[in-house]
Amino acid sequence: MQIGVIGSGECYGDICDAAYRIGQLLAENGAVVINGGLGGVMEAVSRGAKSRGGTVIGIIPFKDKKPANRYCDYVIATDMGHARNMIIVHSSDALIAVGGGYGTVSEMAIALKEGKRVVAYRPAVKLDGLILAESPEEAVSLALEGFS
Amino acid sequence: MQIGVIGSGECYGDICDAAYRIGQLLAENGAVVINGGLGGVMEAVSRGAKSRGGTVIGIIPFKDKKPANRYCDYVIATDMGHARNMIIVHSSDALIAVGGGYGTVSEMAIALKEGKRVVAYRPAVKLDGLILAESPEEAVSLALEGFS
Amino acid sequence: MQIGVIGSGECYGDICDAAYRIGQLLAENGAVVINGGLGGVMEAVSRGAKSRGGTVIGIIPFKDKKPANRYCDYVIATDMGHARNMIIVHSSDALIAVGGGYGTVSEMAIALKEGKRVVAYRPAVKLDGLILAESPEEAVSLALEGFS
Amino acid sequence: MQIGVIGSGECYGDICDAAYRIGQLLAENGAVVINGGLGGVMEAVSRGAKSRGGTVIGIIPFKDKKPANRYCDYVIATDMGHARNMIIVHSSDALIAVGGGYGTVSEMAIALKEGKRVVAYRPAVKLDGLILAESPEEAVSLALEGFS
């Protein structure tokens, strides 16, 4: 099971903590974490997953693997800018959005268009079909529902 | 000047009429219409632009040019699925959204992230930074502002 | 008819002259020139096409339209690096390679894989299926064969 | 270390055996195998790597992960057709080509353009800069050279 966790390249306080906790919970549930491989929410969820022995794949927009955060086990270098967002969506069985800005909105929208399960914790915008979660625990539980 | 016009692959009534009218107005103002090259809003805006002698470039998600609507002067076949949305954004100096679903949301979000002018007529969702227009005339006028 | 003309970003002497001449001949035959929109062969063929009133579409690897050469009528900004080569291939009804390096090889290979007509003038490498031309005139004639 | 192994979607006899052996050797050397995730050489190298407890990432051209061969530990679904070849190249620290057709040529060409180490066993075409190997053992040894 590959679960995409999406959010901004910068994060603070609760959003960062939530991303970290989501990473831990996904790892504990045996889910592989797919993310954008950079900073902020991407780094926090990666760090959380690694703290519980999980596996993290970072799909980055650049052609060089180096800018990926150091918690990624594997790095996919796309050299495709925002189009890499679509690859994150297609590679994920379900997605969890943690806060997030415009990039996250683009990912949620395409994931919903593709009929994927998209759970959102504190989303910037509410799109039809989003499943809202009140806590990291609920987010992971809702994302994994139906896969067990 | 290349103006992207984005919206759903199916359209009815006012949305379709507005897209057609926006195509006419863009052509009259000498703007090249960039769009997704398929049906609905994409076809309506293309048809409108051609009715006024304008130029239309359809950027389609498939590898074959044939599915493009017949009002496209030129067809860019990407074979990139939703990632073609990003190419529409990057190729446009400004964008006008006419109604629209998830795909349109993904385009508006990335265009705003890139700091582009995004005018929306009856958008499905209101993103920060969107410039709302009440009519096709206002949409075109707002989109072209600053380019003359 | 959209004909892709591919080759290096730098060109000298005969290769540059051939690209320019091919642009002229394509324009005279009413074919739209698709190319990578940058310098070298791409600029030479664009310049040739414009000298005969032709139409040129540059599909560039960057997210900004500005680096395109000034002979492009329309610029498609992909922000996709080498993946833009695939878009050039899919958007072309047939291709003409003029000299060229590694990038051109990637385009010829994918075009041949897609079953497209690929005419080559002084190719760096001879791939199975390439149609070799001895002159710009022969290259254009062979590329347009079967489309009239 | 992520090593790309590239080749055709169908393979027979020696080519298939060589891909399998290369997978085994990469796994024994602790290298992660990156490949196109489908059949032929892609499946053979994946199977070889798994037979030695290695890790395999399949980067496939489709939007659905299902067509990936069952030896992939992780699947990246790109929905980008041949453009996924570029992602394989960028994600690989070095590449080994095993036989191969047009698609493999496109990958070798772009990898060489990017200055990557490209080792080829029985390549369909000899591009400048390719490092030729006479055996699977030599291919892996040459690919890993400089990384230890």
Side-chain angles (χ1 to χ4, degrees):
Chain A
M1 207 167 22
Q2 299 182 172
I3 304 294
V5 182
I6 56 182
S8 289
E10 297 191 342
C11 73
Y12 308 96
D14 171 61
I15 291 294
C16 230
D17 293 347
Y20 181 82
R21 183 73 185 122
I22 285 168
Q24 290 186 318
L25 292 164
L26 288 172
E28 286 173 7
N29 281 278
V32 173
V33 172
I34 302 279
N35 67 47
L38 302 178
V41 159
M42 301 173 260
E43 180 165 335
V45 69
S46 302
R47 205 159 34 85
K50 293 315 294 174
S51 78
R52 290 293 189 272
T55 299
V56 178
I57 302 180
I59 301 177
I60 67 173
F62 311 118
K63 73 160 70 172
D64 185 339
K65 296 191 302 169
K66 285 202 203 84
N69 73 63
R70 63 201 167 110
Y71 304 100
C72 293
D73 295 287
Y74 311 106
V75 179
I76 306 301
T78 63
D79 196 23
M80 289 204 175
H82 303 300
R84 80 80 143 81
N85 294 10
M86 309 297 107
I87 303 176
I88 292 172
V89 168
H90 294 307
S91 301
S92 299
D93 296 303
L95 294 101
I96 301 173
V98 187
Y102 292 131
T104 308
V105 170
S106 78
E107 293 165 317
M108 294 192 301
I110 294 300
L112 290 167
K113 182 161 187 172
E114 288 293 321
K116 302 214 171 188
R117 201 171 181 76
V118 185
V119 178
Y121 175 76
R122 302 209 176 172
V125 62
K126 280 169 192 164
L127 302 175
D128 276 355
L130 274 187
I131 301 166
L132 298 177
E134 299 295 322
S135 68
E137 285 73 16
E138 192 186 12
V140 170
S141 163
L142 287 167
L144 299 183
E145 208 167 86
F147 289 107
S148 53
Chain B
M1 207 164 23
Q2 299 182 171
I3 304 295
V5 181
I6 56 182
S8 288
E10 297 190 343
C11 73
Y12 308 95
D14 171 62
I15 290 294
C16 231
D17 294 346
Y20 181 82
R21 183 75 184 121
I22 286 168
Q24 291 187 317
L25 292 165
L26 287 172
E28 286 173 6
N29 281 276
V32 173
V33 172
I34 301 279
N35 67 47
L38 302 178
V41 160
M42 300 173 261
E43 182 166 332
V45 69
S46 302
R47 206 159 33 84
K50 293 314 295 174
S51 78
R52 290 294 189 271
T55 299
V56 178
I57 302 180
I59 301 178
I60 67 174
F62 311 118
K63 72 160 71 172
D64 185 340
K65 295 192 304 169
K66 285 203 204 86
N69 73 63
R70 61 200 168 113
Y71 305 99
C72 293
D73 295 287
Y74 311 107
V75 179
I76 306 302
T78 64
D79 197 24
M80 288 204 174
H82 303 301
R84 81 79 144 81
N85 294 10
M86 309 296 110
I87 303 176
I88 292 172
V89 168
H90 293 309
S91 301
S92 299
D93 296 305
L95 294 101
I96 301 174
V98 187
Y102 292 131
T104 308
V105 170
S106 78
E107 293 165 317
M108 294 192 302
I110 295 301
L112 290 167
K113 181 159 188 175
E114 288 294 321
K116 302 213 171 188
R117 200 170 183 78
V118 185
V119 178
Y121 175 76
R122 303 207 177 173
V125 61
K126 282 171 190 162
L127 301 175
D128 276 356
L130 273 189
I131 300 167
L132 298 177
E134 299 296 322
S135 68
E137 286 72 18
E138 193 186 13
V140 170
S141 162
L142 287 167
L144 299 183
E145 209 167 88
F147 288 107
S148 52
Chain C
M1 209 166 22
Q2 300 182 170
I3 304 295
V5 181
I6 56 182
S8 288
E10 297 191 342
C11 73
Y12 307 97
D14 171 60
I15 290 294
C16 230
D17 294 346
Y20 181 82
R21 183 76 186 121
I22 285 168
Q24 290 187 318
L25 292 164
L26 287 172
E28 287 172 6
N29 281 277
V32 173
V33 172
I34 301 279
N35 67 46
L38 302 178
V41 160
M42 300 173 261
E43 181 166 333
V45 70
S46 302
R47 205 159 33 85
K50 293 314 295 175
S51 78
R52 289 294 189 272
T55 299
V56 177
I57 301 179
I59 301 177
I60 67 173
F62 311 118
K63 73 159 72 168
D64 185 340
K65 296 191 305 169
K66 285 202 203 85
N69 74 62
R70 62 198 167 112
Y71 304 100
C72 293
D73 294 287
Y74 311 107
V75 178
I76 306 301
T78 64
D79 197 24
M80 288 204 174
H82 303 301
R84 81 80 143 81
N85 295 9
M86 308 297 108
I87 302 175
I88 292 172
V89 168
H90 293 308
S91 301
S92 300
D93 296 303
L95 294 101
I96 301 174
V98 186
Y102 292 130
T104 307
V105 170
S106 78
E107 293 166 315
M108 295 191 300
I110 295 301
L112 290 166
K113 181 159 189 175
E114 288 294 321
K116 302 215 171 187
R117 200 168 182 79
V118 186
V119 178
Y121 175 77
R122 303 208 178 172
V125 62
K126 282 172 191 161
L127 302 175
D128 276 356
L130 273 188
I131 300 166
L132 298 177
E134 298 296 322
S135 68
E137 286 73 16
E138 192 185 12
V140 171
S141 163
L142 286 166
L144 299 184
E145 208 167 88
F147 288 107
S148 52
Chain D
M1 208 165 23
Q2 299 182 171
I3 303 294
V5 182
I6 56 182
S8 288
E10 297 190 342
C11 73
Y12 308 96
D14 171 60
I15 291 293
C16 231
D17 294 346
Y20 181 83
R21 183 75 185 121
I22 285 168
Q24 291 186 317
L25 293 164
L26 287 172
E28 287 172 6
N29 281 275
V32 172
V33 172
I34 302 278
N35 68 46
L38 302 179
V41 160
M42 300 173 261
E43 181 166 334
V45 70
S46 302
R47 205 160 33 85
K50 293 314 296 175
S51 78
R52 289 294 189 272
T55 299
V56 177
I57 301 179
I59 301 178
I60 67 173
F62 311 118
K63 73 160 70 171
D64 186 340
K65 296 191 305 169
K66 284 200 204 87
N69 74 62
R70 63 198 167 112
Y71 305 99
C72 293
D73 295 287
Y74 311 107
V75 178
I76 306 301
T78 64
D79 197 24
M80 290 206 174
H82 303 302
R84 81 78 144 82
N85 295 10
M86 308 297 109
I87 302 175
I88 292 172
V89 168
H90 293 307
S91 301
S92 299
D93 296 304
L95 295 101
I96 301 173
V98 187
Y102 292 131
T104 308
V105 170
S106 78
E107 293 166 317
M108 295 192 302
I110 294 300
L112 290 166
K113 181 159 188 174
E114 287 294 320
K116 301 214 171 188
R117 200 171 182 78
V118 185
V119 178
Y121 175 76
R122 302 207 177 173
V125 60
K126 282 171 191 162
L127 301 175
D128 276 357
L130 273 188
I131 301 166
L132 298 176
E134 299 295 323
S135 68
E137 286 72 18
E138 192 186 12
V140 170
S141 161
L142 287 166
L144 298 183
E145 207 167 87
F147 288 107
S148 52

